[in-house]
Amino acid sequence: MGGFARVAKRYVRKIFIEPRNVDRRILFITSGMDKEKLQYLQDLVRQYCPFERGYLQKASSAIASNCGPASFGLLFMKKNDAVISFSEASKEGEA
């Protein structure tokens, strides 16, 4: 896990370098990793930017085959990101 651990730590640290701008309510982790790597990633995220709720999502076969076996995604909102409901979005599309 040496190469993965080094790269994951650098990525998580870079993503959460400014944690005060992160909306810490919800985090989605999408991956196709084994349990050991996934646990390491969860621990890293908790260290740099703990979230209230975290959801684990297994990557689809299409994503996993294109991105590789140890790929992962961290999905979250930033505090100043615009929030729009689906009904508002559909009204904008009609205009």
Side-chain angles (χ1 to χ4, degrees):
M1 193 168 77
F4 171 81
R6 188 182 79 252
V7 171
K9 185 173 186 175
R10 287 179 64 197
Y11 179 73
V12 169
R13 189 171 47 211
K14 179 181 177 183
I15 294 299
F16 296 124
I17 193 119
E18 291 292 335
R20 67 178 174 269
N21 296 329
V22 173
D23 181 344
R24 296 180 185 216
R25 291 178 293 174
I26 300 174
L27 171 71
F28 290 92
I29 299 176
T30 303
S31 76
M33 297 182 278
D34 61 45
K35 290 181 182 183
E36 182 182 346
K37 289 180 180 174
L38 186 56
Q39 185 61 55
Y40 177 78
L41 182 61
Q42 289 175 297
D43 293 342
L44 273 178
V45 170
R46 282 188 200 105
Q47 178 184 347
Y48 287 97
C49 187
F51 284 80
E52 291 175 23
R53 290 185 288 172
Y55 297 96
L56 304 177
Q57 173 64 42
K58 188 165 179 67
S60 70
S61 56
I63 296 297
S65 65
N66 284 311
C67 298
S71 61
F72 63 90
L74 303 175
L75 294 86
F76 59 91
M77 295 284 290
K78 291 189 174 182
K79 287 184 178 175
N80 295 326
D81 282 352
V83 176
I84 186 167
S85 69
F86 288 116
S87 60
E88 291 172 3
S90 64
K91 288 177 187 175
E92 288 180 7
E94 295 172 359

